Amino acid sequence: MNRHATAETAQAKGILGVFQPGSTHMVGDGFPVRNLFPSNDLDRDVSPFLMLDYAGPQYFPPTDHPRGVGEHPHRGFETVTIVYEGMVAHRDSAGNAGVIGPGDVQWMTAASGIVHEEFHEKEFARKGGTLHAVQLWVNLPKASKMSAPGYQTILNGDIPAIELESGAGRLRVIAGSFRGRKGPAHTFTPVELYDLQLNKDHHVQLDLPGGQNASILVLQGRASVNGSHEAGEAELIVCKRSGSQVTVEAREDSRLLVMSGEPIEEPIARYGPFVMNTREELIQAVQDYQAGQMGHLS
C-alpha cells in the first residue's frame, strides 16, 4: 500500500448527513416499520445495503392467530433480520425453518429465488409482548445473484461479544471483525455489521476498512459520530466513503447498529421483492415466480 493510501485510511470519515425515517408503514399485520432507506434516496451512499426497516418497539396483545407476513418471494439479494425483543418464526421454500429471539440473527440468501413467510412465534403471540427488530437487505453482486439460496441461523451465543474498555459498553460482531474477533455471518462481499451498546458519556473508535460505505442507526438513546452530528431514536447517520475512522459517542445510554460494506458498483433494477441489474431480469424474475420456479410453502 502506498503512503497516500495509508494516510487516507487513517482519516476520520466525514458525515454526509442525519436522516429520519422516510416512511412509516405496516409489513403484513405484524411488523410496524420505520424505513430509513430506500425511502431517503441513499442508494449510492449505503451500497451494498438496499433497505433498512426498523420494526417497533411495539407491544402486541395476546392472540391465537400469529401476526406477520405470509408467503412472498425474493430474488437477487439477502435479508438480515436482527431481533432485540420478541420471537419471530421463519419458513421458506428451500426447506429451512427456525425461530429467532432476543439477540439472534437470521441471514437468508434469496439469490436465484426463494419464497418465505415470517410470523410472530406462536407462543410469543399467545402470551403477547413487545416486538423490536431490524430487517436489512444486502445486495448481491451480479455474479452471485443467481447462485443457490441459503440460510444462516445465527444465535446470540454464537455472536462474539467484546466488552469495551472503561465500562463503555459492549459490541457484538455479527459480520466482519472487530479487535481480532470475527463474526459468524458468511457474506458474499465484505460487510461489517455490529450490534453496539454504548453507555452515556462513553465512546468507541471503529477502524473500518477504507473505501467502504458506513452508516449508524440509533435504535435507542442518542449518539454523535466523529464529534459532530448527533442522532436520536430511529435516525440514521450516514458517513462519506473516504476515510476509515468512526468515533461514536453516547449522549445517553444507547443501542446502535453499525453497518459498513464494500460498495457494489453495478446497476440496480428493483421491483418489489426482486433486485436485479436490468429490467429484463426483473421481468424474468416475475415470470419465474409465477411459474413456480422459486417454490411454494405447503
Side-chain angles (χ1 to χ4, degrees):
M1 185 178 289
N2 61 41
R3 289 176 59 191
H4 175 74
T6 302
E8 181 182 47
T9 56
Q11 294 175 353
K13 280 184 171 290
I15 306 300
L16 181 68
V18 177
F19 298 86
Q20 297 177 337
S23 69
T24 301
H25 58 277
M26 287 290 292
V27 177
D29 63 356
F31 302 99
V33 303
R34 290 173 278 184
N35 179 265
L36 279 304
F37 54 83
S39 59
N40 277 305
D41 194 25
L42 291 167
D43 281 4
R44 184 181 182 279
D45 302 302
V46 296
S47 175
F49 307 110
L50 294 163
M51 189 201 78
L52 177 60
D53 275 346
Y54 182 24
Q58 180 169 314
Y59 175 79
F60 286 88
T63 178
D64 290 328
H65 301 283
R67 302 172 180 90
V69 57
E71 177 176 324
H72 61 284
H74 291 297
R75 172 180 281 181
F77 60 97
E78 303 183 283
T79 68
V80 180
T81 305
I82 305 168
V83 174
Y84 301 96
E85 296 178 80
M87 303 285 285
V88 177
H90 161 94
R91 195 165 63 98
D92 68 41
S93 56
N96 303 301
V99 174
I100 53 173
D104 299 338
V105 177
Q106 171 195 288
W107 200 296
M108 186 185 79
T109 303
S112 61
I114 204 166
V115 170
H116 77 142
E117 65 179 21
E118 296 165 291
F119 285 96
H120 297 183
E121 186 270 334
K122 287 184 179 179
E123 189 61 17
F124 168 71
R126 189 184 69 79
K127 291 181 177 179
T130 297
L131 179 80
H132 186 198
V134 161
Q135 186 165 98
L136 180 67
W137 289 8
V138 184
N139 200 10
L140 289 172
K142 181 177 179 64
S144 302
K145 280 188 179 292
M146 293 300 289
S147 57
Y151 181 79
Q152 302 171 72
T153 296
I154 304 171
L155 299 179
N156 182 37
D158 298 328
I159 299 173
I162 295 97
E163 298 296 329
L164 304 175
E165 59 277 356
S166 304
R170 188 174 76 141
L171 185 148
R172 299 194 313 142
V173 188
I174 298 168
S177 62
F178 179 77
R179 296 183 182 173
R181 302 291 298 279
K182 184 171 173 56
H186 164 79
T187 66
F188 282 76
T189 57
V191 168
E192 308 288 318
L193 190 62
Y194 309 148
D195 172 22
L196 174 60
Q197 292 175 274
L198 205 55
N199 296 323
K200 181 180 178 180
D201 296 331
H202 287 77
H203 72 277
V204 63
Q205 180 176 299
L206 309 173
D207 295 301
L208 301 171
Q212 290 194 355
N213 283 327
S215 55
I216 296 97
L217 172 66
V218 180
L219 296 144
Q220 294 169 315
R222 189 163 192 83
S224 68
V225 171
N226 287 347
S228 57
H229 293 63
E230 283 192 22
E233 179 183 335
E235 292 185 332
L236 184 75
I237 302 173
V238 179
C239 301
K240 295 179 180 178
R241 190 173 297 184
S242 60
S244 63
Q245 290 183 353
V246 173
T247 300
V248 185
E249 183 175 354
R251 306 303 189 195
E252 304 169 5
D253 289 349
S254 300
R255 189 156 196 175
L256 310 105
L257 181 64
V258 179
M259 299 158 279
S260 182
E262 183 177 286
I264 297 175
E265 304 285 7
E266 296 175 353
I268 293 177
R270 299 173 183 252
Y271 179 73
F274 307 125
V275 182
M276 303 301 289
N277 297 109
T278 67
R279 182 175 180 274
E280 291 71 26
E281 290 169 340
L282 290 178
I283 293 170
Q284 188 63 55
V286 173
Q287 292 174 344
D288 288 350
Y289 169 61
Q290 292 174 339
Q293 293 182 21
M294 297 182 191
H296 286 287
L297 299 176
S298 55

